[in-house]
Amino acid sequence: MTFDKTNWVWMNGDVVPWNGATVHVSAHALHYGSGVFEGMRCYETENGPAVFRMDRHLERLFASAEWYGIRIPYSNDELADAVCETIRRNDFTSCYVRPICYFGSSGLALNPRQCPIEVTILAWPWGAYLGEESVERGVRVTVASWTKFHSRMLPTVAKGCGGYMNSMLAAREAADNGFDEALLLDDSGNIAEGSGENLFLVRDGRLLTNDESSSILLGITRESVIEIARDLGYEVEIRMLSLDDLRSADEAFFTGTAVEVTPIRELDGNLIGVGKRGPVTERMQRAFAAATSGRDKRYATWLHLLTPNFSWARPGRARARPPTPH
Ligand SMILES: Cc1ncc(COP(=O)(O)O)c(C=O)c1O
């Protein structure tokens, strides 16, 4: 993935060209990771582009900011409008969206009290995070030698910039050792999560996943998948997961905004189940895609439409689709 430098960025209330969206090298966040961010996806639906679960993502952004004393100088509605504006200005029909709020430049004392709070929103088209073939083939995962930080160290439920140094170490280590993704354990040796994903196991037709007591970020994809799975009639058990649980699972998959629902086929060279995408994982992928694309009307309230009167037949669009009334 490379950035297209002709794109537009929303920065502190203005939409600016990509190259103009700059931060000073003395920014507090650059030195100490003192920021919080979100990752959302915008999907194509028959009613135009729509951001999946924007309300939950913005709620988590404000909650993350609260942990670090970052007073976001915009309301929830203003940020929702700003996200839509960013996507529209770039004329994207589907993309990844990255709002970030951070302490800017005004001194480098650790207490950022005097630093301005800056808010930026980036958007770019981003395909399958772990590669297009991961969606069907599944990924090969390794247990990281790094432990997931505990909530006594940093709030694990907040999406804080600095915390991602932990994920970065694990992801780099996995890649250096020839794996697709890292799995981090918590401080008691149970499974926490992937470097940027939550984990689900399938055993005897039931789904299992862990929660914040295992030092995970409570993913919005995770909560959506739990709801969809229960609607499909699956039992979902939420409890601590051990490596043995994973090794003996019939199937396993990651969830996250970036990876959506991605099968795991191997753990440190050992096959999970039969070593390929299992039927429950595939069903969850399909059901999740039906929700994000608006095809499953039960989840229509999870979609924040960009433009109420959007038409796919708009001049200049590559594909013309008939507008569907909602
Ligand atoms: C560490 C970590 N865990 C889990 C997730 C999944 O969260 P979500 O489904 O809200 O994207 C992410 C992605 O943001 C993450 O970075």
Side-chain angles (χ1 to χ4, degrees):
M1 196 249 340
T2 48
F3 289 125
D4 176 350
K5 300 206 171 109
T6 64
N7 286 344
W8 296 88
V9 176
W10 192 96
M11 199 169 194
N12 300 319
D14 293 316
V15 177
V16 299
W18 187 270
N19 286 334
T22 55
V23 178
H24 196 266
V25 288
S26 62
H28 199 273
L30 179 64
H31 293 254
Y32 305 126
S34 51
V36 294
F37 69 95
E38 266 307 318
M40 324 182 190
R41 272 191 192 269
C42 172
Y43 291 92
E44 290 186 8
T45 77
E46 63 185 3
N47 296 317
V51 180
F52 185 66
R53 308 218 64 177
M54 173 132 76
D55 51 345
R56 292 288 297 117
H57 282 285
L58 290 180
E59 234 173 76
R60 189 171 66 186
L61 182 68
F62 278 90
S64 298
E66 176 104 25
W67 277 102
Y68 291 101
I70 299 174
R71 285 208 197 89
I72 299 176
Y74 300 97
S75 68
N76 196 304
D77 286 351
E78 285 169 331
L79 284 191
D81 287 347
V83 166
C84 294
E85 171 72 1
T86 311
I87 300 168
R88 270 196 298 267
R89 277 298 288 271
N90 284 297
D91 211 22
F92 292 146
T93 52
S94 65
C95 60
Y96 181 88
V97 185
R98 168 60 58 84
I100 178 165
C101 310
Y102 51 92
F103 287 111
S105 165
S106 182
L108 281 169
L110 276 167
N111 186 340
R113 160 180 73 217
Q114 63 187 30
C115 296
I117 287 157
E118 317 232 349
V119 181
T120 297
I121 303 170
L122 297 159
W124 67 90
W126 206 1
Y129 177 69
L130 295 173
E132 294 304 326
E133 64 169 34
S134 68
V135 178
E136 244 186 84
R137 266 197 94 203
V139 289
R140 298 174 54 248
V141 168
T142 184
V143 176
S145 66
W146 300 98
T147 300
K148 172 74 201 259
F149 60 82
H150 189 270
S151 54
R152 285 188 306 273
M153 304 170 186
L154 290 170
T156 57
V157 291
K159 221 169 149 51
C161 297
Y164 277 83
M165 294 289 270
N166 183 221
S167 288
M168 191 197 74
L169 285 170
R172 278 202 55 196
E173 181 185 67
D176 287 350
N177 292 326
F179 292 92
D180 301 313
E181 183 51 301
L183 186 69
L184 289 96
L185 305 184
D186 68 12
D187 75 333
S188 47
N190 286 306
I191 294 173
E193 59 183 342
S195 70
E197 312 85 9
N198 295 126
L199 176 75
F200 281 77
L201 308 183
V202 180
R203 192 195 281 167
D204 301 328
R206 293 162 64 237
L207 271 65
L208 294 106
T209 194
N210 53 9
D211 65 11
E212 68 274 27
S213 59
S214 300
S215 299
I216 66 165
L217 179 78
L218 286 171
I220 292 160
T221 318
R222 169 189 174 278
E223 83 183 39
S224 308
V225 162
I226 291 172
E227 191 168 333
I228 294 170
R230 287 184 172 146
D231 289 346
L232 287 172
Y234 290 109
E235 204 182 305
V236 183
E237 190 182 344
I238 297 171
R239 66 159 168 86
M240 280 188 200
L241 301 174
S242 67
L243 277 176
D244 279 344
D245 288 325
L246 173 53
R247 289 191 194 105
S248 61
D250 300 325
E251 301 176 33
F253 59 87
F254 279 136
T255 63
T257 298
V259 295
E260 302 176 299
V261 178
T262 296
I264 299 173
R265 69 172 199 271
E266 242 181 77
L267 176 72
D268 282 314
N270 299 308
L271 300 187
I272 304 295
V274 291
K276 54 181 202 186
R277 175 172 68 177
V280 178
T281 305
E282 188 175 352
R283 193 162 177 218
M284 292 313 306
Q285 284 180 312
R286 286 185 198 286
F288 184 71
T292 58
S293 64
R295 277 181 282 115
D296 190 333
K297 302 296 176 224
R298 284 176 295 181
Y299 309 110
T301 58
W302 288 356
L303 295 169
H304 186 112
L305 292 171
L306 242 61
T307 316
N309 299 316
F310 184 90
S311 165
W312 285 104
R314 230 169 87 192
R317 285 208 177 277
R319 288 167 307 110
R321 289 192 192 177
T324 315
H326 42 189

